[in-house]
Amino acid sequence: MAEAASAAGAPRASRLDRRKARTRQALIDAAVRLIAEGRGDRASIQEITEAADVGFGSFYNHFDSKEQLFQAAAEEVLERWGQMIDRASAGISDPAELFAVGTRITGRLGWTHPDIAGFLTGTGLDALDIPGGLAPRALRDIQAGRAAGRFSVPDAEIALSAAAGGLLGLLRVHQRHPGRIDEAAVDQLAEALLRLLGVPAPEAARLAALGLPETGNW
Amino acid sequence: MAEAASAAGAPRASRLDRRKARTRQALIDAAVRLIAEGRGDRASIQEITEAADVGFGSFYNHFDSKEQLFQAAAEEVLERWGQMIDRASAGISDPAELFAVGTRITGRLGWTHPDIAGFLTGTGLDALDIPGGLAPRALRDIQAGRAAGRFSVPDAEIALSAAAGGLLGLLRVHQRHPGRIDEAAVDQLAEALLRLLGVPAPEAARLAALGLPETGNW
DNA sequence: CTTGTAATAGACTATCAGTCATGATGAATG
DNA sequence: CATTCATCATGACTGATAGTCTATTACAAG
């Protein structure tokens, strides 16, 4: 997103640019915080700018609307989430295993990163439409799995939506009934989703029980 | 929903009651239409009352807020949907078969009843929270299936959410790419969801291919 | 130091949710 | 049939919030 320097241009970034970036980031951080707190997009722009300690008018220097801010905030959160999964799945090439790892890490967000989990349940299935989110990557995995004959599901997008629904359901149950969801429950969901994708049951069980790599804190 | 007549009461319903009911219904119909059009709850109350050809102030004689109206509209649509599935599943007792029928009829809504389909995709997973909706029934089916040893999924609520996600995904794909979803695709989703629930693959394929009863127009 | 540009900021306007007082409709009663 | 009363319908009113506009401030360049 950084503006390209003009062809013959100078280094093209200092102070002013940093100030601008700082303001923008303050707004995004405030939005992430508010969403995670469950205030969803019900927070007023005044509330947001106040939380970001920024003048009201500044908001519109960076975003055209509240929705646009929340979209940017969503992309940021999903980006971190994606990196977390990338780290955990480094070296894995089997699409089914990749899918299992992604599912299990996401399900664990409920207690490892409640803020992200809250964010996801707050946005619902709309999270699938967020560009740069995890959806494109998961979609790629599913399609790769189909191409490799590992999955037999007919439509990748539908399967993705089902997987997202399952994960969101799990996170929601966790929020509403703390303690009812544990690692075993997450692994069982991953197993069930693999079966949905057409992986034979015994193989699904095996994939959902593999050791899970460390993810780090972010 | 008709008001019960008081015990010793007269017929207790005329003109005034009908007028009231008509106004209320006009508002609900307008809301259903707007949601199906994808305007979601972004429609202003003025827009709604205008679409219903009702005075602005009348709105608050019937509903406390826009959310309440949308909830009533949702219950109405889901009620019709539920009755449609009830008719189609009369005489079926196997939970797995019931689930398959419900899934396949719902998936077919995309072309048999685009208004309901639009409504469902418009509300997203929140449809699961609508009281009186189909969720409680589907949940019951899933739990019955677990009790009968027919399903092996650990948490019924999570499974329900995954199923809803799959169906919503299918309906969304149908809306965005008309013609990409046909009856075979719906049946394959039903099959996949049965596998997710723990039904052995061959049995899932059989259940998803059974003859589907006529549902009637409503 | 001067000048120009880009970001900040809060006062201003339009729109929307929700309230309230008034008017219209029809039921009950003599 | 006329009168009275209750209930619903209605749109003008109020407070709040999204989004605009212009003055001010911070910085960079010469």
Side-chain angles (χ1 to χ4, degrees), chain A residues 34-113:
Chain A
L34 286 168
I35 298 176
E37 280 170 17
R39 294 209 32 76
D41 51 1
R42 282 174 313 206
S44 71
I45 290 181
Q46 275 205 355
E47 197 176 340
I48 296 168
T49 53
E50 207 159 314
D53 195 26
V54 157
F56 176 81
S58 291
F59 180 91
Y60 292 94
N61 292 325
H62 298 276
F63 304 99
D64 290 340
S65 66
K66 210 169 29 169
E67 280 189 8
Q68 206 169 97
L69 165 63
F70 281 121
Q71 171 128 339
E75 286 178 20
E76 164 131 349
V77 170
L78 268 51
E79 176 60 28
R80 290 189 250 165
W81 175 27
Q83 287 178 4
M84 187 165 35
I85 293 186
D86 276 346
R87 241 171 300 149
S89 50
I92 301 178
S93 62
D94 173 24
E97 196 177 336
L98 282 172
F99 181 87
V101 168
T103 300
R104 292 163 75 202
I105 288 184
T106 303
R108 275 154 227 253
L109 289 179
W111 55 89
T112 61
H113 298 86

Coordinates of all heavy atoms in Angstrom, one line a residue, chain A residues 34-113:
Chain A
L34 N -12.1 -2.1 19.9 CA -13.6 -2.0 20.1 C -14.3 -3.2 19.6 O -15.3 -3.7 20.2 CB -14.1 -0.7 19.4 CG -13.8 0.6 20.1 CD1 -14.0 1.8 19.2 CD2 -14.6 0.7 21.4
I35 N -13.9 -3.7 18.5 CA -14.5 -4.9 17.9 C -14.3 -6.1 18.9 O -15.3 -6.8 19.2 CB -14.0 -5.3 16.5 CG1 -14.3 -4.1 15.5 CG2 -14.6 -6.5 16.0 CD1 -13.7 -4.4 14.2
A36 N -13.1 -6.2 19.3 CA -12.8 -7.3 20.2 C -13.7 -7.2 21.5 O -14.0 -8.2 22.1 CB -11.3 -7.4 20.6
E37 N -13.9 -6.0 21.9 CA -14.8 -5.8 23.1 C -16.2 -6.1 22.9 O -17.1 -6.0 23.8 CB -14.7 -4.4 23.6 CG -13.4 -4.1 24.4 CD -13.3 -2.6 24.6 OE1 -14.3 -1.8 24.5 OE2 -12.2 -2.1 25.0
G38 N -16.5 -6.5 21.6 CA -17.9 -6.8 21.3 C -18.8 -5.6 21.0 O -19.9 -5.7 20.7
R39 N -18.1 -4.4 20.9 CA -18.9 -3.2 20.6 C -19.2 -3.2 19.1 O -19.8 -2.3 18.6 CB -18.3 -2.0 21.0 CG -18.2 -1.8 22.5 CD -18.2 -0.4 23.1 NE -19.0 0.6 22.3 CZ -20.3 0.7 22.3 NH1 -21.0 -0.1 22.9 NH2 -20.8 1.6 21.5
G40 N -18.6 -4.2 18.4 CA -18.9 -4.3 17.0 C -18.7 -3.0 16.2 O -17.9 -2.2 16.6
D41 N -19.6 -2.8 15.3 CA -19.5 -1.5 14.6 C -20.6 -0.6 15.1 O -21.0 0.3 14.5 CB -19.7 -1.7 13.1 CG -20.9 -2.6 12.8 OD1 -21.6 -3.0 13.7 OD2 -21.2 -2.8 11.6
R42 N -21.0 -0.9 16.3 CA -22.0 0.0 17.0 C -21.3 1.2 17.6 O -22.0 2.1 18.0 CB -22.8 -0.8 18.0 CG -23.9 -1.6 17.4 CD -24.5 -2.5 18.5 NE -23.5 -3.1 19.4 CZ -23.6 -4.2 20.0 NH1 -24.8 -4.8 20.0 NH2 -22.7 -4.7 20.8
A43 N -20.0 1.1 17.7 CA -19.3 2.3 18.2 C -19.4 3.5 17.3 O -19.4 3.3 16.1 CB -17.8 1.9 18.4
S44 N -19.7 4.6 17.8 CA -19.8 5.8 17.0 C -18.4 6.3 16.5 O -17.4 5.9 17.2 CB -20.5 6.9 17.7 OG -19.7 7.5 18.7
I45 N -18.3 7.0 15.5 CA -17.0 7.5 15.0 C -16.4 8.4 16.1 O -15.2 8.3 16.3 CB -17.2 8.2 13.7 CG1 -17.5 7.2 12.6 CG2 -15.9 9.0 13.3 CD1 -17.7 7.8 11.2
Q46 N -17.2 9.2 16.8 CA -16.6 10.0 17.9 C -16.0 9.1 18.9 O -14.9 9.4 19.4 CB -17.8 10.7 18.5 CG -18.1 12.1 17.8 CD -18.7 13.1 18.8 OE1 -19.0 12.8 19.9 NE2 -18.9 14.3 18.3
E47 N -16.7 8.0 19.2 CA -16.1 7.1 20.2 C -14.8 6.5 19.7 O -13.8 6.4 20.5 CB -17.1 6.0 20.5 CG -16.9 5.2 21.7 CD -17.9 4.1 21.9 OE1 -19.0 4.3 21.3 OE2 -17.7 3.2 22.7
I48 N -14.7 6.2 18.5 CA -13.5 5.6 17.9 C -12.4 6.7 18.0 O -11.2 6.4 18.4 CB -13.7 5.2 16.5 CG1 -14.7 4.0 16.4 CG2 -12.4 4.7 15.8 CD1 -15.2 3.7 15.1
T49 N -12.6 7.9 17.5 CA -11.6 8.9 17.4 C -11.1 9.2 18.8 O -9.9 9.5 19.1 CB -12.1 10.1 16.7 OG1 -13.3 10.6 17.3 CG2 -12.3 9.9 15.2
E50 N -12.1 9.2 19.8 CA -11.7 9.5 21.1 C -10.8 8.4 21.7 O -9.7 8.7 22.3 CB -12.9 9.6 22.0 CG -12.7 10.5 23.2 CD -14.1 11.1 23.7 OE1 -14.9 11.5 22.8 OE2 -14.3 11.0 24.9
A51 N -11.2 7.1 21.4 CA -10.4 6.0 21.9 C -9.0 6.1 21.2 O -8.0 5.6 21.8 CB -11.1 4.7 21.5
A52 N -8.9 6.6 20.0 CA -7.6 6.7 19.3 C -6.9 8.0 19.7 O -5.7 8.1 19.2 CB -7.8 6.6 17.8
D53 N -7.5 8.8 20.4 CA -6.9 10.1 20.8 C -6.5 10.9 19.6 O -5.4 11.3 19.4 CB -5.7 9.9 21.7 CG -5.4 11.2 22.4 OD1 -6.3 12.1 22.5 OD2 -4.2 11.4 22.7
V54 N -7.5 11.1 18.7 CA -7.3 11.7 17.4 C -8.5 12.6 17.2 O -9.6 12.3 17.7 CB -7.3 10.6 16.3 CG1 -7.6 11.2 15.0 CG2 -5.9 10.0 16.3
G55 N -8.4 13.7 16.5 CA -9.5 14.6 16.3 C -10.5 13.9 15.4 O -10.2 13.1 14.6
F56 N -11.8 14.4 15.6 CA -12.9 13.7 14.9 C -12.7 13.8 13.4 O -12.8 12.9 12.6 CB -14.2 14.4 15.3 CG -15.4 13.9 14.5 CD1 -16.0 12.7 14.9 CD2 -15.8 14.6 13.4 CE1 -17.1 12.2 14.2 CE2 -16.9 14.1 12.7 CZ -17.5 12.9 13.1
G57 N -12.3 15.0 12.9 CA -12.2 15.3 11.5 C -11.1 14.4 10.9 O -11.2 14.1 9.7
S58 N -10.1 14.1 11.7 CA -9.0 13.3 11.1 C -9.4 12.0 10.5 O -8.8 11.5 9.6 CB -7.9 13.1 12.2 OG -7.3 14.2 12.5
F59 N -10.5 11.5 11.1 CA -11.0 10.2 10.7 C -11.1 10.1 9.2 O -10.6 9.2 8.5 CB -12.3 9.9 11.3 CG -12.9 8.6 10.9 CD1 -12.7 7.4 11.6 CD2 -13.7 8.5 9.8 CE1 -13.2 6.2 11.3 CE2 -14.3 7.3 9.4 CZ -14.0 6.2 10.1
Y60 N -11.7 11.2 8.6 CA -12.0 11.2 7.2 C -10.8 11.5 6.3 O -10.9 11.5 5.1 CB -13.2 12.1 6.9 CG -14.5 11.6 7.5 CD1 -14.9 12.0 8.8 CD2 -15.2 10.6 6.8 CE1 -16.1 11.5 9.3 CE2 -16.4 10.1 7.4 CZ -16.8 10.6 8.6 OH -17.9 10.0 9.2
N61 N -9.7 11.8 6.9 CA -8.5 11.9 6.1 C -8.0 10.5 5.8 O -7.2 10.4 4.8 CB -7.4 12.6 6.9 CG -7.7 14.1 7.1 OD1 -8.3 14.7 6.2 ND2 -7.4 14.6 8.2
H62 N -8.4 9.5 6.5 CA -7.9 8.2 6.3 C -8.9 7.2 5.8 O -8.6 6.2 5.1 CB -7.3 7.7 7.6 CG -6.2 8.5 8.1 ND1 -4.9 8.3 7.6 CD2 -6.1 9.6 8.9 CE1 -4.1 9.2 8.2 NE2 -4.8 10.0 9.0
F63 N -10.2 7.4 6.2 CA -11.2 6.4 5.8 C -12.5 7.2 5.3 O -12.8 8.2 5.8 CB -11.5 5.5 6.9 CG -10.3 4.8 7.5 CD1 -9.7 5.2 8.6 CD2 -9.8 3.6 6.8 CE1 -8.6 4.6 9.1 CE2 -8.7 3.0 7.3 CZ -8.1 3.5 8.5
D64 N -13.1 6.6 4.4 CA -14.3 7.2 3.9 C -15.5 6.9 4.7 O -16.5 7.7 4.7 CB -14.7 6.7 2.4 CG -13.7 7.2 1.4 OD1 -13.0 8.2 1.7 OD2 -13.5 6.6 0.4
S65 N -15.5 5.9 5.5 CA -16.6 5.5 6.3 C -16.2 4.6 7.4 O -15.0 4.1 7.4 CB -17.7 4.8 5.5 OG -17.2 3.6 5.0
K66 N -17.0 4.4 8.4 CA -16.8 3.4 9.5 C -16.5 2.1 8.9 O -15.6 1.4 9.3 CB -17.9 3.4 10.4 CG -17.6 3.2 11.8 CD -18.7 3.4 12.8 CE -20.1 3.2 12.3 NZ -21.1 3.2 13.5
E67 N -17.3 1.7 7.9 CA -17.1 0.3 7.4 C -15.7 0.1 6.8 O -15.1 -0.9 7.0 CB -18.1 0.1 6.2 CG -19.5 -0.2 6.7 CD -20.4 -0.6 5.6 OE1 -19.9 -0.8 4.5 OE2 -21.7 -0.8 5.9
Q68 N -15.2 1.2 6.2 CA -13.9 1.1 5.6 C -12.9 0.9 6.7 O -11.9 0.1 6.5 CB -13.6 2.3 4.7 CG -12.6 2.0 3.6 CD -12.6 3.2 2.7 OE1 -11.7 4.1 2.8 NE2 -13.5 3.3 1.7
L69 N -13.0 1.6 7.8 CA -12.1 1.4 8.9 C -12.1 0.0 9.4 O -11.1 -0.6 9.6 CB -12.4 2.4 10.0 CG -11.7 2.1 11.3 CD1 -10.2 2.2 11.2 CD2 -12.2 3.0 12.4
F70 N -13.3 -0.5 9.6 CA -13.5 -1.8 10.1 C -12.9 -2.9 9.1 O -12.3 -3.9 9.6 CB -14.9 -2.1 10.5 CG -15.3 -1.5 11.8 CD1 -16.4 -0.6 11.8 CD2 -14.7 -1.8 12.9 CE1 -16.8 0.0 13.0 CE2 -15.0 -1.2 14.1 CZ -16.1 -0.3 14.2
Q71 N -13.0 -2.6 7.9 CA -12.4 -3.5 6.9 C -10.9 -3.5 7.0 O -10.3 -4.6 7.0 CB -12.8 -3.0 5.5 CG -12.1 -3.8 4.4 CD -13.0 -4.4 3.4 OE1 -14.2 -4.6 3.6 NE2 -12.5 -4.7 2.2
A72 N -10.4 -2.3 7.2 CA -8.9 -2.2 7.3 C -8.5 -2.9 8.6 O -7.5 -3.7 8.7 CB -8.5 -0.8 7.4
A73 N -9.3 -2.7 9.7 CA -8.9 -3.4 10.9 C -9.0 -4.9 10.8 O -8.2 -5.7 11.3 CB -9.9 -2.9 12.0
A74 N -10.0 -5.3 10.0 CA -10.2 -6.8 9.8 C -9.0 -7.3 9.1 O -8.5 -8.4 9.4 CB -11.5 -7.0 9.0
E75 N -8.6 -6.6 8.0 CA -7.5 -7.1 7.3 C -6.2 -7.2 8.1 O -5.5 -8.2 8.0 CB -7.2 -6.2 6.1 CG -8.2 -6.3 5.0 CD -8.0 -5.3 3.8 OE1 -6.8 -4.8 3.7 OE2 -8.9 -5.0 3.1
E76 N -6.1 -6.3 9.0 CA -4.9 -6.3 9.9 C -4.9 -7.5 10.8 O -4.0 -8.3 10.9 CB -4.9 -5.0 10.8 CG -3.9 -5.1 11.9 CD -3.0 -4.0 12.0 OE1 -3.0 -3.2 11.1 OE2 -2.4 -3.8 13.1
V77 N -6.1 -7.8 11.4 CA -6.2 -8.9 12.3 C -6.0 -10.2 11.6 O -5.3 -11.1 12.0 CB -7.6 -8.9 13.0 CG1 -7.8 -10.2 13.8 CG2 -7.7 -7.7 14.0
L78 N -6.6 -10.3 10.4 CA -6.6 -11.5 9.6 C -5.1 -11.8 9.1 O -4.7 -12.9 8.9 CB -7.6 -11.5 8.5 CG -8.9 -12.1 8.8 CD1 -9.4 -11.5 10.1 CD2 -9.9 -11.9 7.7
E79 N -4.5 -10.7 8.9 CA -3.1 -10.8 8.4 C -2.2 -11.4 9.5 O -1.5 -12.4 9.2 CB -2.5 -9.4 8.1 CG -1.1 -9.4 7.7 CD -0.8 -10.2 6.5 OE1 -1.7 -10.4 5.6 OE2 0.3 -10.8 6.3
R80 N -2.4 -11.0 10.7 CA -1.6 -11.6 11.8 C -2.0 -13.0 12.0 O -1.1 -13.9 12.2 CB -2.0 -10.8 13.1 CG -1.4 -9.4 13.2 CD -1.6 -8.9 14.6 NE -2.6 -7.8 14.6 CZ -3.2 -7.4 15.8 NH1 -2.8 -7.9 16.9 NH2 -4.1 -6.4 15.8
W81 N -3.2 -13.3 11.9 CA -3.7 -14.7 12.0 C -3.1 -15.6 10.9 O -2.6 -16.6 11.2 CB -5.3 -14.6 11.9 CG -6.0 -15.9 11.9 CD1 -5.6 -17.1 12.5 CD2 -7.2 -16.2 11.3 NE1 -6.5 -18.1 12.3 CE2 -7.5 -17.5 11.5 CE3 -8.1 -15.4 10.6 CZ2 -8.7 -18.1 11.1 CZ3 -9.3 -16.0 10.2 CH2 -9.6 -17.3 10.4
G82 N -3.1 -15.0 9.7 CA -2.5 -15.8 8.6 C -1.1 -16.1 8.8 O -0.6 -17.2 8.6
Q83 N -0.4 -15.1 9.3 CA 1.1 -15.3 9.6 C 1.3 -16.4 10.6 O 2.2 -17.2 10.6 CB 1.7 -14.0 10.0 CG 1.9 -13.0 8.8 CD 2.5 -11.7 9.2 OE1 2.8 -11.5 10.4 NE2 2.5 -10.8 8.3
M84 N 0.4 -16.3 11.7 CA 0.5 -17.3 12.7 C 0.4 -18.7 12.1 O 1.2 -19.7 12.4 CB -0.6 -17.1 13.7 CG -0.5 -18.0 15.0 SD -1.5 -17.3 16.3 CE -2.9 -16.7 15.5
I85 N -0.6 -18.9 11.2 CA -0.8 -20.2 10.6 C 0.3 -20.5 9.6 O 0.8 -21.7 9.6 CB -2.2 -20.3 9.9 CG1 -3.3 -20.2 10.9 CG2 -2.3 -21.5 9.0 CD1 -4.6 -20.3 10.4
D86 N 0.8 -19.5 8.9 CA 2.0 -19.8 8.0 C 3.1 -20.3 8.8 O 3.8 -21.3 8.4 CB 2.4 -18.5 7.4 CG 1.5 -18.2 6.1 OD1 0.8 -19.1 5.7 OD2 1.6 -17.0 5.7
R87 N 3.4 -19.7 10.0 CA 4.5 -20.2 10.8 C 4.3 -21.7 11.2 O 5.2 -22.5 11.1 CB 4.7 -19.3 12.0 CG 6.0 -18.6 12.1 CD 6.0 -17.6 13.2 NE 4.9 -16.7 13.0 CZ 4.2 -16.1 14.0 NH1 4.5 -16.4 15.3 NH2 3.3 -15.2 13.7
A88 N 3.1 -22.0 11.6 CA 2.8 -23.3 12.1 C 2.8 -24.3 10.9 O 3.0 -25.5 11.2 CB 1.4 -23.3 12.8
S89 N 2.6 -23.9 9.7 CA 2.4 -24.9 8.6 C 3.6 -24.9 7.7 O 3.6 -25.5 6.6 CB 1.2 -24.7 7.9 OG 1.0 -23.3 7.5
A90 N 4.7 -24.2 8.2 CA 5.9 -24.2 7.3 C 6.4 -25.6 7.1 O 6.5 -26.4 8.1 CB 7.0 -23.4 8.0
G91 N 6.7 -26.0 5.9 CA 7.2 -27.3 5.7 C 6.2 -28.4 5.4 O 6.5 -29.5 5.0
I92 N 4.9 -28.0 5.6 CA 3.8 -29.0 5.3 C 3.4 -28.7 3.8 O 3.2 -27.6 3.4 CB 2.7 -28.8 6.2 CG1 3.1 -28.9 7.7 CG2 1.5 -29.7 5.9 CD1 2.0 -28.7 8.7
S93 N 3.2 -29.8 3.1 CA 2.8 -29.6 1.7 C 1.5 -30.3 1.4 O 0.8 -29.9 0.5 CB 3.9 -30.1 0.7 OG 4.1 -31.5 0.9
D94 N 1.2 -31.3 2.2 CA -0.1 -32.0 2.0 C -1.3 -31.1 2.3 O -1.4 -30.6 3.4 CB -0.2 -33.2 2.9 CG -1.5 -33.9 2.8 OD1 -2.2 -33.7 1.8 OD2 -1.9 -34.6 3.8
P95 N -2.1 -30.8 1.3 CA -3.2 -29.9 1.5 C -4.1 -30.3 2.7 O -4.6 -29.4 3.4 CB -4.0 -29.9 0.2 CG -3.1 -30.4 -0.8 CD -2.1 -31.3 -0.1
A96 N -4.4 -31.6 2.8 CA -5.2 -32.0 3.9 C -4.6 -31.7 5.3 O -5.3 -31.3 6.2 CB -5.5 -33.5 3.8
E97 N -3.3 -31.9 5.3 CA -2.6 -31.6 6.6 C -2.6 -30.1 6.9 O -2.8 -29.7 8.0 CB -1.2 -32.2 6.6 CG -0.6 -32.3 8.0 CD 0.8 -32.9 7.9 OE1 1.1 -33.7 7.0 OE2 1.6 -32.6 8.9
L98 N -2.4 -29.3 5.8 CA -2.5 -27.9 6.0 C -3.8 -27.4 6.5 O -3.9 -26.6 7.4 CB -2.2 -27.2 4.6 CG -0.8 -27.1 4.1 CD1 -0.7 -26.6 2.7 CD2 0.0 -26.2 5.0
F99 N -4.8 -28.0 5.9 CA -6.2 -27.6 6.3 C -6.4 -28.0 7.8 O -7.0 -27.2 8.5 CB -7.2 -28.4 5.4 CG -8.6 -28.1 5.7 CD1 -9.3 -27.0 5.1 CD2 -9.3 -28.8 6.6 CE1 -10.6 -26.7 5.4 CE2 -10.7 -28.5 6.9 CZ -11.3 -27.4 6.4
A100 N -5.9 -29.2 8.2 CA -6.1 -29.6 9.5 C -5.4 -28.6 10.5 O -6.0 -28.2 11.5 CB -5.6 -31.0 9.7
V101 N -4.2 -28.3 10.1 CA -3.4 -27.4 11.0 C -4.1 -26.0 11.1 O -4.3 -25.5 12.2 CB -2.0 -27.2 10.5 CG1 -1.3 -26.0 11.2 CG2 -1.2 -28.5 10.6
G102 N -4.6 -25.5 10.0 CA -5.2 -24.2 10.0 C -6.5 -24.2 10.9 O -6.7 -23.3 11.7
T103 N -7.2 -25.3 10.7 CA -8.5 -25.4 11.5 C -8.2 -25.5 12.9 O -8.8 -24.8 13.8 CB -9.2 -26.7 11.0 OG1 -9.5 -26.6 9.6 CG2 -10.5 -26.9 11.8
R104 N -7.2 -26.3 13.3 CA -7.0 -26.5 14.7 C -6.4 -25.3 15.4 O -6.8 -25.0 16.5 CB -6.0 -27.7 14.9 CG -6.7 -29.1 14.5 CD -5.7 -30.2 14.3 NE -5.2 -30.7 15.5 CZ -4.1 -31.3 15.6 NH1 -3.3 -31.5 14.5 NH2 -3.7 -31.8 16.8
I105 N -5.6 -24.6 14.7 CA -5.0 -23.4 15.3 C -6.1 -22.3 15.4 O -6.2 -21.6 16.4 CB -3.9 -22.8 14.4 CG1 -2.7 -23.7 14.6 CG2 -3.5 -21.4 14.8 CD1 -1.5 -23.2 13.8
T106 N -7.0 -22.2 14.4 CA -8.1 -21.3 14.5 C -9.0 -21.6 15.6 O -9.4 -20.7 16.4 CB -8.8 -21.2 13.2 OG1 -7.9 -20.9 12.1 CG2 -9.9 -20.2 13.2
G107 N -9.3 -22.9 15.8 CA -10.2 -23.3 16.9 C -9.6 -22.9 18.2 O -10.3 -22.6 19.2
R108 N -8.3 -23.1 18.3 CA -7.6 -22.8 19.6 C -7.6 -21.3 19.9 O -7.3 -20.9 21.0 CB -6.2 -23.3 19.6 CG -6.2 -24.8 20.0 CD -5.0 -25.5 19.4 NE -5.4 -26.8 18.8 CZ -5.2 -28.0 19.3 NH1 -4.5 -28.1 20.4 NH2 -5.7 -29.1 18.8
L109 N -7.9 -20.5 18.9 CA -7.9 -19.0 19.2 C -8.8 -18.7 20.3 O -8.5 -17.7 21.0 CB -8.3 -18.2 17.9 CG -7.4 -18.2 16.7 CD1 -8.1 -17.4 15.6 CD2 -6.1 -17.5 17.1
G110 N -9.8 -19.5 20.5 CA -10.8 -19.2 21.6 C -10.1 -18.9 22.9 O -10.5 -18.0 23.6
W111 N -9.1 -19.6 23.2 CA -8.4 -19.3 24.5 C -7.0 -18.8 24.3 O -6.5 -18.1 25.2 CB -8.4 -20.5 25.4 CG -7.8 -21.8 24.8 CD1 -6.5 -22.2 24.8 CD2 -8.5 -22.8 24.1 NE1 -6.4 -23.4 24.2 CE2 -7.6 -23.8 23.8 CE3 -9.9 -23.0 23.8 CZ2 -7.9 -25.0 23.1 CZ3 -10.2 -24.2 23.1 CH2 -9.3 -25.1 22.8
T112 N -6.4 -19.0 23.1 CA -5.0 -18.4 23.0 C -5.1 -17.0 22.6 O -4.2 -16.2 23.0 CB -4.2 -19.2 21.9 OG1 -4.9 -19.1 20.6 CG2 -4.1 -20.7 22.2
H113 N -6.0 -16.6 21.8 CA -6.2 -15.2 21.4 C -7.6 -14.8 21.4 O -8.2 -14.6 20.3 CB -5.5 -15.0 20.0 CG -4.1 -15.3 20.0 ND1 -3.6 -16.5 19.7 CD2 -3.0 -14.4 20.1 CE1 -2.2 -16.5 19.8 NE2 -1.9 -15.2 20.0

